[in-house]
Amino acid sequence: GPEHYTTPWIEQEKMKLRVIAPIASSAFNPSIEKDVKTVTAQDADISLVNLDHGTKSIESRHDEFLNTADIIKKSLEAQEEGIDGLFVDCFADPGVGIVRELVDIPVVGGFEPAVLMAKLICQKFSIVTVEKRVNAIIEDEARRLGIMGNLMSIRDLGIPVVDLGNKERLKNALLKQAHQAIEQEGAQAIVLGCTGMLEVAQEVEQTLAKDGKPAPVIDPTTAAITMLQSLIRMKLSQSRLAYYKPESPTHKLESQDMTAAASTIRSWSFS
C-alpha cells in the first residue's frame, strides 16, 4: 500500500512572513488579509504593515521613487525582528532589487512570482492591469525577466488603483479584457496585473470556464505568498553573485559644500 509521510515542520517553530503594503494607506488591508489566508501554510505566521510615508497607490515610476525609502526602512526593521521572508505587495516590484541587496532573507514582489507561475502552466499569457499609464512599467519588468516571448499582451481596465474596491465593476472589466486577450491574442492564462485586484481571481476564472474559455487566472498576491513560503522552506534567498550586499546598509549619505561645488560647474556651448 502507499506510504504515509508526516509533516515534521508543523511541530517546529513557525516561519514568519512579512507583507509590506508599499503605500501610506490601510484601505486594502482587510482584502489583503483574506487573500493571503487562502494560501497560508499551517507552519506560517504572516504579518502586514503599511508605510508611514508615501503615496496612497503606486501607478508611476515617480510613485515608486517616493515610496522606496520607507519600503527599505520597513524591510530592514523586519529582518531585525527575525522575519524569515518579505513580500513587497505591488505588481511593479518597487524597491525589490534594492531590498534584496540589503537583507539576507528572501524578498519577492508581485510581478515575478505571478508571471513565472504563468509560464509553468501555459505557453502564452496576458497581463490585465489597472490603467494604461502603468503598461510601460510592466513591459520593462517583462523585458528584464526575459518573458516577452510568452507575453501576448498587456491590457488595462481604465480603473485607478484606489477604485478597485468596487468588486462588481472590477470583475466585469476583468472578464471583458480576459475574453479579448484569449480570443484576439491567443492567451492561455490571465495574470492580474495589480496586487490590488483582490478576492476576484477565482470567480473570474470560473466565469471564463462557463463561457467556454477555461483559462487559469493568477492572483499575484497568492502567487507571491506561495512562492515566498517555498523559498523559506527550501532555505533559499537571493544570490550574492547577483545582489551584492553593501558594506554597510545603514551608511549615511555624504554632503558637500554646495558653494564650493558651484565653483566647479562648467558650461559649454557649440556654435
Side-chain angles (χ1 to χ4, degrees):
E3 294 186 46
H4 295 277
Y5 297 91
T6 59
T7 52
W9 57 79
I10 298 299
E11 301 174 0
Q12 298 176 2
E13 184 178 351
K14 288 190 173 185
M15 63 173 113
K16 297 184 286 292
L17 287 70
R18 174 66 50 82
V19 178
I20 299 175
I23 54 174
S25 169
S26 60
F28 290 92
N29 288 12
S31 290
I32 292 172
E33 291 177 13
K34 288 180 183 177
D35 244 23
V36 166
K37 285 178 180 178
T38 64
V39 291
T40 301
Q42 293 182 26
D43 61 331
D45 278 332
I46 302 182
S47 55
L48 169 64
V49 298
N50 302 101
L51 301 187
D52 298 320
H53 308 284
T55 61
K56 292 187 177 181
S57 67
I58 293 180
E59 298 177 75
S60 67
R61 295 175 180 86
H62 186 236
D63 291 341
E64 291 183 35
F65 170 77
L66 292 174
N67 292 13
T68 294
D70 216 30
I71 293 170
I72 293 170
K73 178 176 177 285
K74 296 295 183 183
S75 300
L76 292 172
E77 289 174 352
Q79 179 167 260
E80 291 174 4
E81 291 174 30
I83 297 297
D84 298 308
L86 295 171
F87 168 36
V88 180
D89 186 8
C90 179
F91 199 73
D93 288 359
V96 168
I98 299 169
V99 172
R100 284 175 176 164
E101 292 184 348
L102 298 177
V103 301
D104 296 313
I105 55 179
V107 183
V108 300
F111 178 80
E112 293 174 329
V115 297
L116 292 175
M117 282 193 179
K119 284 192 66 176
L120 286 174
I121 59 175
C122 73
Q123 298 165 316
K124 303 179 291 183
F125 61 89
S126 289
I127 296 171
V128 182
T129 189
V130 283
E131 294 188 287
K132 191 176 295 293
R133 60 177 172 167
V134 304
N135 290 9
I137 298 173
I138 293 174
E139 185 173 338
D140 278 349
E141 292 291 305
R143 291 185 186 281
R144 178 183 58 79
L145 198 58
I147 60 166
M148 291 300 290
N150 306 97
L151 180 58
M152 294 297 98
S153 61
I154 302 171
R155 290 178 161 271
D156 62 90
L157 306 179
I159 301 175
V161 173
V162 294
D163 290 340
L164 293 178
N166 185 333
K167 301 299 183 185
E168 286 304 312
R169 180 188 180 195
L170 174 59
K171 285 183 286 188
N172 290 335
L174 283 170
L175 282 167
K176 177 182 177 181
Q177 294 301 323
H179 271 289
Q180 292 179 359
I182 294 165
E183 295 164 4
Q184 298 176 18
E185 286 111 32
Q188 300 161 339
I190 302 296
V191 175
L192 303 186
C194 177
T195 56
M197 296 177 180
L198 296 155
E199 303 180 272
V200 294
Q202 289 188 359
E203 189 170 339
V204 171
E205 181 175 314
Q206 291 166 0
T207 304
L208 286 174
K210 290 178 183 176
D211 294 342
K213 305 290 190 301
V217 177
I218 299 170
D219 178 335
T221 297
T222 54
I225 292 296
T226 300
M227 185 168 288
L228 184 57
Q229 290 175 126
S230 296
L231 289 171
I232 295 170
R233 204 181 306 286
M234 295 174 68
K235 302 186 187 305
L236 293 174
S237 190
Q238 47 272 11
S239 169
R240 288 300 176 212
L241 297 178
Y243 297 94
Y244 285 84
K245 194 171 185 179
E247 292 183 10
S248 174
T250 58
H251 67 275
K252 296 184 181 297
L253 294 173
E254 296 182 3
S255 61
Q256 63 176 339
D257 183 345
M258 295 310 296
T259 303
S263 66
T264 67
I265 295 174
R266 299 290 184 269
S267 60
W268 291 266
S269 62
F270 299 90
S271 56

